[in-house]
């Protein structure tokens, strides 16, 4: 029994090493990802329009055209600037969207919305309503963080188990194997962050 478990563990490790070798080129991006945003305020309402650029590297684009989907996580934070002190956190929003390529339609979709190209992603617009209308001299800024993950540690684990035909439960996976899965998944993650000033009325 112990010999069987050892053989499966070695087989799983070999499959993961092969996966690392397969996806290693993805860590080398031709253009660094970046995110921009524009924000405006009218009365108590603040509207933000974020956009992600070069988030999908050519290698990731190739993989996604083979059928893999990307999980796009967007976090926006509204801050109020305070003179001679730290900015005050006013509100925050987290969004999760799915970026995928449809071979049947021959195009990209972000949460079902058609895209011309994955190189420029116009993300979902976010609106906040302040509790009260600020003074005329009040200054606000928005921080935007975007993260795209094409493959997760869980999905890599399923692939590795399928390759080795192993039936070992997830809870029995060694710490080394789990760490390797997370490392590979991190290599398939691209992100960027930025901030923009809120333009007043």
């Amino acid at each position: 029994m112990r010999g069987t478990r050892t053989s499966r563990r070695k087989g799983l490790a070999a499959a993961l090493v092969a996966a690392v070798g397969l996806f290693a080129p993805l860590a080398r991006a031709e253009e660094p990802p970046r995110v921009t945003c524009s924000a405006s305020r009218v009365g108590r309402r603040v509207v933000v329009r974020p956009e992600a650029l070069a988030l999908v590297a050519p290698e990731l684009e190739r993989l996604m055209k083979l059928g893999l989907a990307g999980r796009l996580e967007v976090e926006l934070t509204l801050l109020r600037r305070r003179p001679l002190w730290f900015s005050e956190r006013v509100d925050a929003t987290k969004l999760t969207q799915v970026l995928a390529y449809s071979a049947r339609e021959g195009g990209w979709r972000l949460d079902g919305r058609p895209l011309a190209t994955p190189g420029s992603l116009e993300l979902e617009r976010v609106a906040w309503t302040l509790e009260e209308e600020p003074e005329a001299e009040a200054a606000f800024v928005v921080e935007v963080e975007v993260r795209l993950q094409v493959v997760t540690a869980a999905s890599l684990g399923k692939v590795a188990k399928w390759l080795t035909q192993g039936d070992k439960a997830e809870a029995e996976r060694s710490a080394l194997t789990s760490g390797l899965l997370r490392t590979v998944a991190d290599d398939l993650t691209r992100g960027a962050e930025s901030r923009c000033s809120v333009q007043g009325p």
Side-chain angles (χ1 to χ4, degrees):
M1 184 69 175
R2 180 176 299 178
T4 302
R5 288 185 177 180
T6 302
S7 299
R8 286 178 178 173
R9 187 170 298 173
K10 289 181 178 179
L12 180 60
L16 292 175
V17 170
V20 172
L22 176 63
F23 294 127
L26 299 180
R28 299 190 298 271
E30 294 184 359
E31 183 180 355
R34 60 190 187 280
V35 60
T36 63
C37 69
S38 61
S40 60
R41 179 182 65 84
V42 177
R44 296 191 300 125
R45 185 176 174 82
V46 178
V47 179
V48 187
R49 295 176 176 82
E51 182 179 6
L53 304 170
L55 199 60
V56 182
E59 294 85 356
L60 284 180
E61 182 176 343
R62 177 177 58 85
L63 284 177
M64 295 178 73
K65 284 186 174 181
L66 292 176
L68 296 179
R71 185 179 64 197
L72 188 64
E73 297 178 345
V74 184
E75 183 172 355
L76 301 98
T77 305
L78 177 63
L79 303 171
R80 179 172 181 165
R81 289 177 172 168
R82 295 188 292 181
L84 306 178
W85 196 245
F86 297 106
S87 297
E88 176 188 8
R89 185 176 182 271
V90 178
D91 210 336
T93 299
K94 290 184 179 181
L95 304 171
T96 300
Q97 299 178 278
V98 176
L99 176 64
Y101 179 80
S102 173
R104 181 172 59 86
E105 299 177 358
W108 294 86
R109 288 187 170 273
L110 181 61
D111 265 5
R113 176 168 53 89
L115 295 174
T117 171
S120 176
L121 303 177
E122 292 186 6
L123 307 176
E124 186 175 338
R125 185 184 66 173
V126 173
W128 293 298
T129 301
L130 304 176
E131 293 184 357
E132 58 183 24
E133 187 167 347
E135 307 84 14
E137 65 275 10
F140 295 87
V141 64
V142 176
E143 292 182 345
V144 183
E145 183 176 351
V146 178
R147 183 172 179 265
L148 174 67
Q149 188 172 42
V150 174
V151 180
T152 64
S155 61
L156 280 177
K158 293 178 181 178
V159 170
K161 288 170 65 177
W162 175 78
L163 288 174
T164 59
Q165 297 298 312
D167 57 356
K168 189 167 68 168
E170 182 75 18
E172 297 178 356
R173 181 173 294 141
S174 68
L176 177 61
T177 302
S178 299
L180 182 57
L181 287 172
R182 286 193 295 269
T183 299
V184 176
D186 288 342
D187 285 342
L188 297 175
T189 300
R190 284 168 62 83
E193 57 185 40
S194 183
R195 58 166 49 195
C196 59
S197 298
V198 177
Q199 303 300 317

